[in-house]
């Protein structure tokens, strides 16, 4: 039997189902599923993703069985609807849409009203009794088809421009404001002009717009498959790690019309509020419009609640659909519908994107509603999205002042919660390049399109003048966790002049504004931000936990996560306040306390510099004596806060030149202060200069060269520990030696530490439990982990440096080629953000195995930046590490990611 | 039964044998062996190296069975000689010497005449009938014992000073020139003054020189064991990789006296000439002297040939000994003897150190003499020593001119062949520090001591005023392969004034001189050097091979080596002349041709800079077009020379900023030349600056970012190949992609290369066999070797960068801590000179296994500097690599090392 390439759905029955999303794409699978559960879905068929893969592989040719299978499906459609392709009395019209395995909103091209031509448009006019509608449909079809299939596009930044230009001109000629005011005659004229444009713009071949519906169909199918490899789709897949080989399906579906008049319309709805997660019917619609009008943001739609008044029957049906969808899918859905003459048709449903705030609320609520169990709730919240709950909002007082000062420019739709300030930029490229230079920017656009993606990624927030809460800007911003205000209609943007006018104010590119994606407010200038509810409760204690739903949901979810996870979560903190924050977020210890951060500030840096400039061990020891009390006090503060939780303290790591000034003026001041000749300082600075400081005289190499440094640090740790113990507080320091590559390095440092421990304990008569371990941050350490574990009581992966050395790639210098590497898919994700599991990870595995072969209960953790990255946390779980350590605000993310890793393992 | 700690030898019988050198040390084992084969060895016993190990481990206490065993050995000695310890009529006198498993010349302390005291000296005077001899022996004993056992030493640089000072003062009082002119009375006075010195210099305890011979003996034994851990011994072991745990044995042996008058003497001889390897009896002696006088270089001894005239009987006996030793040991021996009243006694024999020149000649000669087989000859020549055969000699013409200009200062003894020029330095510390700054220095000393070792290592050559061809300076220099002239008696060195006077010339520190260690000549100023015989034959073709014995021996040995080795040997060469040299030395291909070296010089660098400054791909391609003909010509030249041997060409590797000027002036010139604003150049230089260039935008990252570079290089290679093939010469390019870490990097570069290959082959109609492979020089490449081998047709280890990344250690910056690391024994050898087998080696093993798991016949080589290091070559053999590649002059070393590795494997 020939392979099945085409899956039919219609009249309550379907070849496919929701389980077949790999084959049918998300849209196709759910159209089939909706058909099966009795929802009103216009009949149609899906061409599988396998065809796309074949099409790409075979350089644009189809499997030979496809043609007859499509033919047969069309025949079934014709018989089911009683319409026929190209029939001059009752023509069949279809939409052709893409649909990949993972939703890629706005990424792919869509064609509506396919089947219309100079004959069938007349039939449609007759049958609908609405010639204006027929001609409007025809001109829309030609516009989409011309753009997507025939490649008639603007060369510049704004797509659709040539067709829009003709439309605009005609509107001016007809002296009308809105598209809907164009008459049937106007539209017929538009069709003629569009066809001329196509002929003119298809080069010397001067191709005519095709009149044969079958030819139209195959053109559209090919264009969808082509669109899989357009630039914006590739950028999107790269950002979301969607494999290029998956391919898209093509959905061909009988047209229904939202533009048949005032009892017709089209809309997008969410079963809950995707911004807040509240259980409220949420969405918007346009009367007398086709679907693309809503999503593209060209017209600003009406909130769904108004539909109850406008078309009550349709509203009631949609409420029924909403309940049915959630009961069936047990997930928040985002669905598209069309109302054709009071009757609702479902065009799509899918799991809805949501903000982090919404994700947490919905997961917790659905458990309470008994829709899902608590483990599913844990699995469902993307760990990264927790950071939205900790993101800042506007400071109330500063916001009030800004409003009082008349700086509240306008309001738009609250589309991506959080608050952000930044410099206004009016196009995506500039936003990306300014952000690259370290500026905080807000991308301001009339509306966004997929071409703006890079700029949106780079910006702190997004503000649009047009488009609703389900516009491209809103959808993408919510998914990325960006602050977003959209549809701020008072904005008048002049992209050419690089400015916008808002109620008499003119804001030029580079000036600062502030937006609140929770309230929709837009302010002139910067407005101070304030902590989120969760942060107010946990860190600032300025909010009563009972008064915060968000906090309650957050702790509920975290509690479930903690029941599941095996990995401990620690934090990287150098100061008592950071440590306290991390504990509030659930940290179970400090995984990395960098002692060098304590070396800066005030008199300390002078003593540090004196130490570096010392020429004898004696002089060095004298300078170190001055540092000792500071270091001790730092540790006392941290030990007190940590109350017996483990504190991993790393001995001095950076190369000494980092502590010396490079600037001549500062060197001169230092010379005067320390009463040392300037030349001597300059000479020492020059002497300490390194060709590759990352691979230079740093880490334990310093402690080996200058054992008195390690000695001072060890003494400070043990004296601090003794002092805090005397106060009745338990203390558990874990001393960590950085950059170890050779077992003897560790031995030499160990000896100093044990000697100081013994000395301080004897002197203070306080017994301190401590361990000494090592970072694994250069490949050699991983390779000889068995030898190192003979002495090391714990390992901690320093994946920042390990990544740099394993990849032979300096993080600071990789900016010049990493973008190219991501573009060419040499790497899938930035290895400094997410552990390179194939390379670095293999070495980590060797290190864990090597270490535990000698010391089976060896404690192993990770303290690089990767400790707060969910996929890296999952990898650490798989490696059977004991803990991950990350910055305080990433602790909840790591807790949830650890729980999800455990869950995934159990389910595997 | 108690463990045996003491091994006796005497009267033709011995407990030990030559096989027991681990236990008895080299000296002890050979004393036993000589005793067994009937050579005249004074009886004695050896305390084993195990006692030393115990002594060190137990913090200076002996195994309890040692005392009775020594007691018993003494008793046997007494009964065998009829003498008794402390006997006032016939006292037993012994020497106490160290003797480790590996010879460590001059490293350890020795004590002679032990057993003498205020009573026994009288007995010795009576029995010898030579009171002067007895008192001379006594004063020597006190001097040595005071120095070595009681620690009476100079605080400054010159050892022995306090005793020598007293001796000098007495000689001045007695108005005599030489020690031998001192009378019995003078010597008795000297003894008294020495004893006072000891009492004075042993601090508040004011210890007396011990009179009890048994107390003397245990003091001496302890001192020998202590000396195992003195600084100079540690330095020596570090340099020669001798494990510290081996320990030394102690040899206690009945004294015989070379200072009994004119029919007595002492000497050191070699069974062949250790400098040239000629089969000539070689050595020197002093009449009326004790052994230390010869080795220490205080007196300049007489060549051994003169002994035939002076003591004919002894000379004849020594000739017999010489023959017997070589027949028995089948190796060149270096032996110490004493003539006591016409009778020869053997005090030591050992395998003689020799120059590279001598090593080759002796190995080849011994095969011809049927003493050894050819495989043993291959095994015996230290591979590194072959470089001596290629080391330069003085240019004949320049030497003649120097002589004509009166610049021949003087002649000394030719002690270490080769020629060297450099700045004069009079002490070892300064030599080391000047050499560290990159200066070429010659160390000039009155005589050298083990304290000078660091300076000798640092110097190009060594010149001494005193001491013979077996002096410390000569022995060490030969072993290190340093140029050495010793015993140049016309030199009058004033260390304090930092100058030397030679026949009216004054040479100050820092002035240049030149020495010829083959002729013994010393020249003022620099003399040009010229190639060695082998180089003249092979490279310059200026010497008829038939006229060079050295060349004949060299090729004979190389021929044998080539029959044994499995590893191929290639060379690193960027230019046709280098490649030709390497082929002359036996290279079987080019393992690394760096294309960037071709980018410098003349107009090329301008085009390179134009390319780097280009702002568009187009402009870059235009600049590259200019480079193409140069690159093509370079490759043509190399392909012609290589005649079908494989040529591994590496695509552009260094970061682009290496090609741009940093200096403002040069940037200005460049701006004018290229008609580009200065600011633009300065901006590009700043933009290309990297924090860690070693880990930056280089290697294939350049080819990925700028594919047109790879394209130009590939085109140049294939066009050159086609051109050379047209000339009827076979060509086999192997294109190598540097710094690959990700499989896709290689894929992208491969695609360009294959495309250019196809294009050029089609255009020129010349088929070129080529392969494309990758360097393995960052850890990730080794870790994902299986993935990379899917596309790579060969691997080549870039162990320079691999060492830097695996160890996280920048070669350029490691100078600030590597010396400390060697000192603390964190590492045993410099990892940039010899592969770190434990760390880097483990990763190499993974890479070979990974690569061959996918491509079983994967060709694997090494092209780092390590390819010419014998121990690294052995490691590569063990890893089953296909070839090593090294600089042209190291090719013979690699060939021999490869043969030895194969031999070792076969014998294992």
């Amino acid at each position: 039997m020939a392979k099945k390439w085409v899956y039919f759905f219609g009249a309550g029955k379907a070849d496919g189902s929701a389980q077949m999303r790999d084959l049918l794409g998300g849209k196709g699978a759910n159209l089939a599923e909706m058909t099966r559960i009795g929802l009103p879905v216009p009949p149609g068929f899906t061409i599988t993703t396998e065809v796309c893969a074949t099409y790409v592989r075979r350089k644009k040719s189809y499997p030979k069985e496809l043609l007859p299978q499509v033919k047969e499906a069309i025949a079934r459609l014709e018989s089911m609807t009683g319409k026929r392709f190209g029939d001059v009395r009752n023509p069949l019209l279809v939409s052709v849409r893409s649909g990949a395995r993972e939703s890629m909103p706005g990424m792919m091209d869509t064609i509506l009203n396919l089947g219309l031509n100079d004959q069938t448009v007349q039939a449609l006019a007759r049958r609908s009794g609405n010639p204006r509608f027929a001609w409007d449909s025809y001109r829309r079809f030609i516009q989409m088809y011309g753009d997507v299939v025939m490649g008639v596009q603007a060369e510049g930044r704004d797509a659709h421009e040539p067709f829009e230009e003709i439309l605009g001109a005609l509107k001016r000629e007809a002296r009308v404001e809105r598209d809907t005011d164009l008459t049937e005659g106007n539209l017929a004229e538009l069709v003629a002009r569009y066809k001329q444009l196509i002929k003119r713009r298809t080069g010397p071949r001067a191709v005519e717009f095709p009149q044969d519906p079958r030819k139209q169909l195959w053109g559209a199918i090919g264009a969808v498959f082509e669109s899989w490899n357009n630039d914006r789709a590739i950028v999107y897949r790269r950002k979301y790690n969607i494999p290029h080989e998956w391919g898209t399906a093509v959905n061909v579906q009988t047209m229904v019309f939202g533009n048949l008049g005032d009892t017709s319309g089209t809309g997008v709805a969410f079963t809950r509020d995707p911004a807040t997660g509240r259980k409220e019917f949420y969405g918007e619609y346009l009367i007398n419009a086709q679907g693309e009008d809503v999503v593209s943001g060209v017209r600003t739609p009406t909130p769904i609640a108004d539909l109850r008044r406008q078309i009550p029957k349709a509203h009631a049906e949609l409420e029924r659909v909403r309940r049915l969808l959630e009961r069936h899918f047990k997930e928040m859905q985002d669905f598209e519908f069309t109302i054709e003459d009071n009757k609702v048709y479902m065009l799509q449903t899918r799991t809805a994107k949501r903000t982090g705030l919404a994700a947490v609320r919905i997961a917790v609520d659905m458990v309470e509603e008994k829709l899902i169990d608590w483990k599913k709730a844990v699995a469902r919240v993307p760990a990264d999205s927790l950071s939205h709950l900790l993101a800042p909002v506007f400071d109330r007082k500063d916001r009030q002042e800004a409003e009082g000062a008349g700086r509240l420019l306008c309001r738009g739709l609250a589309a991506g919660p959080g608050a952000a300030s930044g410099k206004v930029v009016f196009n995506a490229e500039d936003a990306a390049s300014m952000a690259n230079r370290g500026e905080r920017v807000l991308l301001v656009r009339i509306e966004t399109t997929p071409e703006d993606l890079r700029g949106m990624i780079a910006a702190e927030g997004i503000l649009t003048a047009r488009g609703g809460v389900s516009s491209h800007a809103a959808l993408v911003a919510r998914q990325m966790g960006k602050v977003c205000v959209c549809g701020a209609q008072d904005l008048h943007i002049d992209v050419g002049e690089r400015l916008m006018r808002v109620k008499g104010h003119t804001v030029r590119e580079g000036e600062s504004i502030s937006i609140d994606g929770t309230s929709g407010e837009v302010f002139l200038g910067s407005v101070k931000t304030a902590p989120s509810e969760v942060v107010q409760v946990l860190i600032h204690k300025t909010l009563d936990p009972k008064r915060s739903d968000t906090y309650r949901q957050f702790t509920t979810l975290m509690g479930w996560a903690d029941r599941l996870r095996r990995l401990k979560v620690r934090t990287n903190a150098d100061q008592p306040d950071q440590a306290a924050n991390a504990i509030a977020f659930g940290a179970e210890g400090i995984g990395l306390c960098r002692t060098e951060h304590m070396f800066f500030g005030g008199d300390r840096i002078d003593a540090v510099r004196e130490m570096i400039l010392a020429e004898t061990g004696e002089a060095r020891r004298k300078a170190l004596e001055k540092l000792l009390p500071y270091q001790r006090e730092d540790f006392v503060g941290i030990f007190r806060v940590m109350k017996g939780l483990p504190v991993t303290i790393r001995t001095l790591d950076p190369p000494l030149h980092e502590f010396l000034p490079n600037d001549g003026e500062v060197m001169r001041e230092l010379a005067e202060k320390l009463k040392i000749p300037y030349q001597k300082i300059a000479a020492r600075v020059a002497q300490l200069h390194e060709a590759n400081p990352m691979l230079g005289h740093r880490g334990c190499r310093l402690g080996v060269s200058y054992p008195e440094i390690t000695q001072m640090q060890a003494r400070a740790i043990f004296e601090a520990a003794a002092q805090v113990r005397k106060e009745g507080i338990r203390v558990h320091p874990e001393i960590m030696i950085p950059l170890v590559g050779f077992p003897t390095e560790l031995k030499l440092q160990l000896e100093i530490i044990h000697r100081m421990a013994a000395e301080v304990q004897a002197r203070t008569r306080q017994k301190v439990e401590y361990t000494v371990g090592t970072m694994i941050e250069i490949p050699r350490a991983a390779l000889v982990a068995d030898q190192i574990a003979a002495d090391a009581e714990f390992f901690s992966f320093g994946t920042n440096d390990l990544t740099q050395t394993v990849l032979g790639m300096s993080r600071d210098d990789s900016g010049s080629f990493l973008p190219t590497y991501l573009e060419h898919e040499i790497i899938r994700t930035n290895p400094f953000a997410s552990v390179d599991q194939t390379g670095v990870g293999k070495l980590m595995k060797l290190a864990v195995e090597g270490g535990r072969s000698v010391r089976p209960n060896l404690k192993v953790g990770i303290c690089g930046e990767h400790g707060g990255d969910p996929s890296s946390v999952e990898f650490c779980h798989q490696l059977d590490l004991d803990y991950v350590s990350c910055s305080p605000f990433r602790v909840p993310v790591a807790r949830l990611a650890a729980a999800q890793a455990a869950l995934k393992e159990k389910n595997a």
Side-chain angles (χ1 to χ4, degrees), chain A:
Chain A
M1 216 183 80
K3 183 156 178 133
K4 185 169 177 64
W5 302 108
V6 171
Y7 284 70
F8 195 86
F9 55 88
K13 285 187 186 153
D15 297 344
S17 75
Q19 271 64 54
M20 298 169 80
R21 67 184 296 133
D22 292 359
L23 189 66
L24 305 182
K27 189 192 292 265
N30 280 353
L31 284 170
E33 190 75 11
M34 286 194 293
T35 305
R36 283 167 175 267
I37 65 173
L39 286 175
V41 178
F45 58 88
T46 304
I47 301 173
T48 68
T49 55
E50 292 177 346
V51 176
C52 182
T54 309
Y55 182 81
V56 170
R57 202 173 51 242
R58 290 208 202 150
K59 320 241 151 172
K60 315 195 176 180
S61 85
Y62 297 112
K64 72 175 190 326
E65 307 92 338
L66 183 65
L67 190 69
Q69 290 186 15
V70 168
K71 223 169 184 170
E72 194 209 319
I74 295 279
R76 270 182 85 181
L77 263 193
E78 289 175 333
S79 89
M80 191 171 278
T81 58
K83 302 176 178 184
R84 288 177 61 85
F85 244 167
D87 193 298
V88 294
R89 284 156 306 156
N90 194 9
L92 173 67
L93 303 184
V94 296
S95 65
V96 177
R97 297 176 207 250
S98 63
R101 200 190 293 194
E102 290 288 329
S103 164
M104 292 167 61
M107 287 300 117
M108 307 287 298
D109 293 314
T110 289
I111 288 162
L112 301 179
N113 306 331
L114 189 140
L116 283 178
N117 58 23
D118 296 348
Q119 279 74 50
T120 54
V121 68
Q122 308 285 358
L124 184 63
R126 274 195 307 278
R127 291 193 67 90
S128 64
N130 188 342
R132 194 202 164 281
F133 148 71
W135 284 100
D136 190 40
S137 299
Y138 192 24
R139 73 96 186 164
R140 283 164 185 273
F141 172 47
I142 299 175
Q143 180 168 346
M144 282 188 253
Y145 199 90
D147 172 17
V148 171
V149 183
M150 306 190 74
V152 177
Q153 284 170 351
E155 269 94 48
R157 271 171 193 163
D158 285 307
H160 303 293
E161 200 214 323
F163 293 102
E164 292 292 338
E165 251 174 27
I166 291 173
L167 173 62
L170 193 83
K171 274 154 80 179
R172 279 191 299 277
E173 288 170 30
R175 293 168 196 264
V176 300
E177 274 277 315
R178 296 186 303 173
D179 296 2
T180 44
D181 296 334
L182 290 171
T183 64
E184 172 196 347
N186 294 146
L187 293 166
E189 170 62 21
L190 201 55
V191 164
R193 291 190 190 178
Y194 277 1
K195 289 201 286 192
Q196 280 165 7
L197 171 72
I198 287 174
K199 203 166 165 184
R200 200 166 62 240
R201 290 286 290 270
T202 47
R205 292 169 303 137
V207 180
E208 298 273 0
F209 170 76
Q211 292 288 323
D212 174 0
R214 283 190 170 71
K215 207 170 164 190
Q216 290 172 357
L217 179 64
W218 285 105
I221 291 170
V224 171
F225 287 145
E226 290 291 318
S227 74
W228 177 254
N229 279 326
N230 69 26
D231 289 349
R232 65 195 196 207
I234 289 172
V235 169
Y236 187 94
R237 287 201 292 274
R238 195 166 292 137
K239 170 144 175 78
Y240 292 101
N241 276 321
I242 297 173
H244 294 317
E245 54 275 16
W246 278 3
T248 181
V250 178
N251 297 291
V252 178
Q253 196 177 13
T254 314
M255 280 300 300
V256 285
F257 295 98
N259 47 353
L260 274 185
D262 288 348
T263 56
S264 297
T266 187
V268 170
F270 297 82
T271 55
R272 307 190 183 217
D273 184 331
T276 64
R278 289 210 173 78
K279 198 179 176 184
E280 287 161 4
F281 195 19
Y282 186 93
E284 52 201 6
Y285 68 97
L286 285 168
I287 288 293
N288 198 19
Q290 275 194 332
E292 296 306 292
D293 299 335
V294 182
V295 177
S296 73
V298 175
R299 284 164 59 189
T300 300
T302 315
I304 198 88
D306 295 356
L307 189 62
R308 190 193 303 269
R309 187 183 41 75
Q310 238 175 335
I311 317 179
K313 200 179 139 199
H315 188 268
E317 169 70 352
L318 284 172
E319 279 283 12
R320 184 186 76 91
V321 165
R322 177 191 167 213
R323 281 190 304 276
L324 196 60
L325 283 174
E326 278 214 350
R327 223 162 41 230
H328 183 74
F329 287 101
K330 302 185 189 309
E331 234 309 17
M332 173 167 81
Q333 296 293 300
D334 149 10
F335 60 94
E336 288 177 28
F337 60 90
T338 284
I339 306 166
E340 188 181 87
D341 202 11
N342 285 306
K343 180 160 167 46
V344 169
Y345 288 97
M346 294 294 290
L347 300 183
Q348 163 156 304
T349 190
R350 60 187 177 190
T351 298
K353 308 277 186 209
R354 65 207 77 177
T355 63
L357 208 66
V360 173
R361 179 187 288 269
I362 292 167
V364 173
D365 282 357
M366 285 193 167
V367 174
E368 287 170 4
E369 296 163 22
K370 301 206 170 12
L371 272 175
I372 57 176
D373 69 14
W374 64 273
K375 285 182 189 172
K376 181 141 263 168
V378 168
R380 230 179 225 181
V381 178
D384 246 340
S385 68
L386 286 186
S387 55
H388 300 187
L389 275 73
L390 311 181
V393 297
F394 278 146
D395 173 75
R396 192 186 303 189
K397 209 169 136 235
D398 206 49
R399 198 211 73 86
Q400 278 176 342
E401 282 178 16
E403 192 178 355
R407 283 164 48 206
L408 175 55
L409 282 178
C410 64
R411 276 175 219 272
L413 301 170
S421 292
K423 293 184 176 170
V424 169
V425 183
F426 294 103
N427 74 65
E429 283 79 11
D430 293 351
S433 66
M434 277 177 71
N436 264 344
R437 292 199 300 273
E439 308 248 34
R440 300 169 69 91
V441 301
L442 293 182
L443 180 65
V444 180
R445 298 285 283 160
I446 299 172
E447 52 183 314
T448 64
T449 67
E451 275 83 2
D452 292 320
L453 211 52
R454 282 177 208 232
M456 296 173 81
I457 293 169
E460 300 294 317
I462 298 134
L463 169 62
T464 67
R466 283 192 281 181
V469 293
S470 53
S471 65
H472 176 264
L475 280 175
V476 174
R478 278 200 294 275
Q479 193 175 351
M480 291 184 186
K482 298 276 177 193
V483 177
C484 179
V485 171
C486 60
Q489 299 186 316
D490 293 327
L491 294 187
H492 297 281
I493 298 173
D494 187 331
V495 175
E497 290 291 313
R498 298 181 173 238
L499 56 79
M500 61 180 183
R501 295 194 179 80
V502 203
K503 299 183 183 166
H505 294 277
T506 298
V507 182
R508 293 179 184 279
E509 184 170 279
E511 289 182 44
S512 285
I513 62 167
S514 303
I515 59 175
D516 183 337
T518 317
S519 69
E521 292 168 329
V522 180
F523 291 91
L524 193 63
S526 290
V527 176
K528 270 191 213 147
T529 53
S532 72
E533 278 188 27
V534 171
V535 171
Q536 284 181 49
V537 172
L538 284 174
I539 307 296
H540 303 286
K541 329 270 186 205
T542 49
L543 179 63
D544 181 351
K546 288 189 206 99
R547 291 188 47 207
S548 171
D549 277 359
T550 309
Y551 171 74
R552 186 186 58 77
Q553 288 143 4
F554 170 78
T555 44
T556 303
L557 185 74
M558 288 288 97
W560 291 336
D562 290 349
R563 280 163 65 185
L564 286 169
R565 70 188 161 92
R566 188 173 70 218
L567 274 174
K568 296 259 179 202
V569 176
R570 296 193 187 184
T571 193
N572 300 348
D574 309 332
Q575 286 157 14
D577 57 335
Q578 293 171 356
N581 290 353
I583 287 186
F585 287 138
E588 297 160 294
I590 289 179
L592 175 61
C593 173
R594 303 176 194 84
T595 51
E596 58 270 16
H597 286 197
M598 304 170 176
F599 274 26
F600 288 97
D603 300 348
R604 300 179 177 204
I605 187 67
D606 290 344
V608 173
R609 288 169 173 175
E610 193 181 322
M611 182 265 288
I612 296 169
L613 293 164
E615 292 186 328
T616 61
E618 199 38 60
R620 200 172 303 115
R621 265 186 294 276
K622 245 179 84 184
L624 285 164
E625 279 296 322
K626 296 187 195 169
L627 281 170
L628 176 71
Y630 295 121
Q631 285 253 299
R632 190 172 47 216
E633 275 320 294
D634 291 323
F635 295 133
V636 164
I638 286 175
F639 290 150
R640 278 186 188 140
V641 167
M642 296 305 289
K643 296 193 178 66
L645 289 175
V647 178
T648 308
I649 299 168
R650 180 177 72 185
T651 54
L652 192 66
D653 183 55
L656 295 183
H657 48 78
E658 286 196 8
F659 299 103
L660 289 184
N662 264 312
D663 177 75
E665 205 42 58
V666 185
M667 284 200 262
R668 244 172 257 285
E669 280 169 29
L670 183 65
E672 246 166 65
K673 218 188 247 178
L674 299 182
K675 296 180 181 42
I676 292 176
Y678 168 78
Q679 279 75 13
K680 205 175 214 167
I681 294 178
R684 183 77 172 137
V685 167
Q687 185 202 350
L688 288 175
H689 173 80
E690 295 189 307
N692 296 289
M694 201 262 130
L695 308 174
H697 197 172
R698 49 171 290 239
C700 71
R701 293 164 194 169
L702 293 172
V704 168
S705 297
Y706 311 113
E708 48 279 7
I709 297 179
T710 308
Q711 196 171 318
M712 181 280 282
Q713 295 201 299
R715 198 175 137 197
I717 293 167
F718 290 116
E719 288 182 353
Q723 180 178 334
V724 173
R725 267 195 66 85
K726 236 177 239 169
E727 299 167 6
I729 301 169
R730 288 196 307 139
V731 183
H732 186 57
E734 301 182 334
I735 301 173
M736 181 162 75
I737 311 299
L739 215 73
V740 166
F742 300 89
T744 311
E745 292 174 317
L746 180 60
K747 271 188 219 293
L748 290 171
Q749 297 290 289
L750 265 179
E751 194 200 289
I752 296 169
I753 291 164
H754 289 324
R755 199 173 65 233
M756 293 316 295
E759 194 185 305
V760 175
Q761 293 187 55
R763 178 152 45 79
T764 61
R765 301 200 188 157
Q766 291 290 333
K767 174 132 187 68
V768 174
E769 298 287 339
Y770 70 99
T771 54
V772 187
T774 177
M775 289 192 75
I776 302 290
E777 55 183 336
I778 59 177
R780 196 181 198 279
L783 291 164
V784 302
D786 51 345
Q787 292 177 20
I788 289 175
D791 288 302
E793 291 172 275
F794 63 86
F795 283 177
S796 178
F797 286 109
T799 43
N800 298 348
D801 281 1
L802 197 60
T803 300
Q804 298 197 79
T805 47
V806 170
L807 272 54
M809 199 182 277
S810 162
R811 183 169 51 175
D812 297 340
D813 302 317
S814 59
S816 59
F817 54 90
L818 264 192
T820 312
Y821 268 48
L822 286 160
E823 201 169 305
H824 288 317
E825 297 183 47
I826 293 168
I827 49 178
R828 281 267 162 89
T829 51
N830 184 332
F832 298 111
S834 195
V835 169
D836 160 38
Q837 297 181 13
T838 320
V840 176
K842 185 164 178 186
L843 207 54
M844 290 170 73
K845 192 152 179 287
L846 282 177
V848 173
E849 289 168 357
R852 292 204 175 132
S853 74
V854 168
R855 197 186 279 265
N857 60 348
L858 182 75
K859 192 192 282 185
V860 186
I862 179 176
C863 64
E865 284 303 309
H866 299 93
D869 165 66
S871 86
S872 307
V873 170
E874 183 184 344
F875 183 66
C876 291
H877 175 92
Q878 288 162 359
L879 282 186
D880 205 17
L881 299 203
D882 295 285
Y883 67 87
V884 298
S885 186
C886 56
S887 60
F889 275 65
R890 299 294 293 181
V891 166
V893 174
R895 285 163 71 194
L896 183 53
Q900 291 173 341
L903 207 50
K904 206 161 161 186
E905 186 187 65
K906 207 180 281 175
N907 294 341

